[in-house]
Amino acid sequence: MNSIIRIAVQKSGRLSDDSLALIKECGIKFYNGTGKLKSTSTNFPIEFLFLRDDDIPGYVSDGVADLGIVGENELVEKDKDVDILKKLGFSKCRLSLAIPKGQEYTNIHYFQGKSVATSYPKILGDYLSKYNIQAEIHEISGSVEIAPSIGLAEGICDIVSSGSTLMMNGLKEVEEIFKSEAVLIAHKNLSEDKLAIVEKLLFRMNAVQKGKSNKYVLLNAPNESLEKIIQLIPGMRSPTILPLAQEGWSSVHSVISEDQFWENIEELRAAGAEGILVVPIEKMVV
Ligand code: ATP
Ligand code: MG
């Protein structure tokens, strides 16, 4: 029998575009017309379920889906038993405690005996009990930031990105309690057949991620500085050196992480490198 795996992704929201982009960059083709809840790839044994992100941890732990892409915040809050295969590096955000701007904040003990509104009662409860703080947690599903101004709670715990929503509601961030990014999760105990497909998918995702964090660098350099330049941009095995038409000069091609490139740029130029080009890499298999 030909196996197929099923992956749950967010239907629409702050996870969905990057989730689908990653899958496309893995060379996996599929159709996701508006309103479709299910789709099958035409060139890889994978089927998609488009869901609300709240439901993804449960579907994966139940085995209705074999894989899922979800935020760590949602995963930890739902407290489902699944394997985390990979951090994906997008949908980065933080969960923070916030209080009315005019209040003076000392430390986490500020919240002793206070009421806090949140959509993340488990994460917040765990955090507060770590500090032995008893607070009254009001679970609400949305528009958490208006809770203090309507008298529902004295503070809130919610996702913060820029902080502008907090400011508009007269609140200030006082404590970061959880950092989150999107993760690829898997059902525990997948069959051998399914695991083999998951391995193939992971191989492709790793190649895409590696490609993104590295750049292809081309530069011209006088031959006498080649030794120094090779040390600065050692590449995957070693750089490619090609002679230029102009005598005494070479073109050096290499692969380097973007961070390392910026760290080494001054030294490269000091060594005589010029005409430096930095080109994106689509996939990288080492
Ligand atoms: P759904 O309708 O699927 O339940 P939602 O309204 O619960 O969606 P979104 O706002 O789409 O959720 O956010 C999905 C996830 O994206 C969050 O759980 C969080 O992990 C992450 N996220 C939330 N806000 C941001 C942000 N400002 N920047 C980056 N990532 C974010
Ligand atoms: Mg949700």
Side-chain angles (χ1 to χ4, degrees):
M1 189 193 79
N2 286 333
S3 270
I4 181 163
I5 53 169
R6 210 184 237 182
I7 186 167
V9 293
Q10 190 191 29
K11 185 168 158 47
S12 70
R14 288 184 154 119
L15 280 162
S16 52
D17 287 352
D18 286 339
S19 304
L20 297 181
L22 172 63
I23 288 160
K24 286 191 177 137
E25 282 165 339
C26 288
I28 295 172
K29 297 201 170 92
F30 60 94
Y31 174 72
N32 70 318
T34 39
K36 263 192 112 180
L37 300 178
K38 225 174 111 177
S39 175
T40 307
S41 168
T42 50
N43 66 349
F44 193 86
I46 194 166
E47 184 176 77
F48 300 88
L49 293 183
F50 301 107
L51 304 171
R52 287 201 56 187
D53 72 341
D54 310 57
D55 297 330
I56 293 174
Y59 272 56
V60 174
S61 70
D62 293 348
V64 174
D66 304 304
L67 297 177
I69 296 179
V70 70
E72 288 171 297
N73 54 321
E74 209 52 56
L75 179 64
V76 173
E77 182 60 34
K78 291 291 184 295
D79 200 16
K80 300 286 184 186
D81 195 20
V82 299
D83 287 330
I84 296 179
L85 299 185
K86 193 170 175 52
K87 293 200 178 218
L88 298 174
F90 55 81
S91 297
K92 287 190 174 171
C93 59
R94 60 186 191 270
L95 259 183
S96 289
L97 282 159
I99 61 172
K101 260 204 302 265
Q103 297 282 320
E104 198 180 321
Y105 185 71
T106 45
N107 57 34
I108 189 71
H109 295 283
Y110 172 94
F111 289 98
Q112 178 62 42
K114 295 259 194 322
S115 56
V116 185
T118 188
S119 311
Y120 297 91
K122 175 176 160 43
I123 296 178
L124 177 60
D126 287 353
Y127 186 83
L128 293 177
S129 60
K130 210 168 69 188
Y131 293 94
N132 249 324
I133 289 162
Q134 274 81 46
E136 195 186 313
I137 297 177
H138 284 282
E139 180 177 356
I140 52 178
S141 59
S143 305
V144 174
E145 58 286 342
I146 64 161
S149 65
I150 59 171
L152 177 71
E154 295 165 280
I156 67 157
C157 173
D158 202 9
I159 289 176
V160 181
S161 47
S162 69
S164 60
T165 313
L166 289 182
M167 208 143 71
M168 271 181 344
N169 288 281
L171 300 170
K172 62 177 177 188
E173 184 179 359
V174 293
E175 204 85 46
E176 176 184 303
I177 71 162
F178 190 86
K179 263 189 178 350
S180 177
E181 68 182 88
V183 286
L184 178 70
I185 56 172
H187 179 64
K188 296 215 156 206
N189 313 318
L190 287 178
S191 69
E192 289 292 318
D193 288 0
K194 287 187 174 182
L195 274 177
I197 304 172
V198 171
E199 281 306 316
K200 276 192 187 166
L201 179 65
L202 275 175
F203 180 83
R204 294 189 188 194
M205 284 187 176
N206 287 334
V208 170
Q209 266 191 347
K210 262 215 134 53
K212 276 196 182 147
S213 58
N214 285 280
K215 300 286 173 204
Y216 192 73
V217 179
L218 304 93
L219 56 84
N220 294 331
N223 288 345
E224 58 272 17
S225 54
L226 285 178
E227 206 175 317
K228 170 81 182 152
I229 286 172
I230 290 169
Q231 276 172 17
L232 290 170
I233 48 171
M236 294 211 273
R237 184 178 293 278
S238 75
T240 305
I241 311 279
L242 299 165
L244 289 192
Q246 184 181 338
E247 192 134 334
W249 281 76
S250 296
S251 166
V252 182
H253 299 198
S254 192
V255 170
I256 185 170
S257 81
E258 184 155 26
D259 294 347
Q260 208 189 343
F261 171 74
W262 289 117
E263 275 169 29
N264 288 355
I265 181 80
E266 295 310 330
E267 280 191 81
L268 282 171
R269 296 181 65 203
E274 58 179 58
I276 304 173
L277 303 180
V278 180
V279 183
I281 297 172
E282 195 177 283
K283 273 136 205 149
M284 184 165 154
V285 178
V286 289

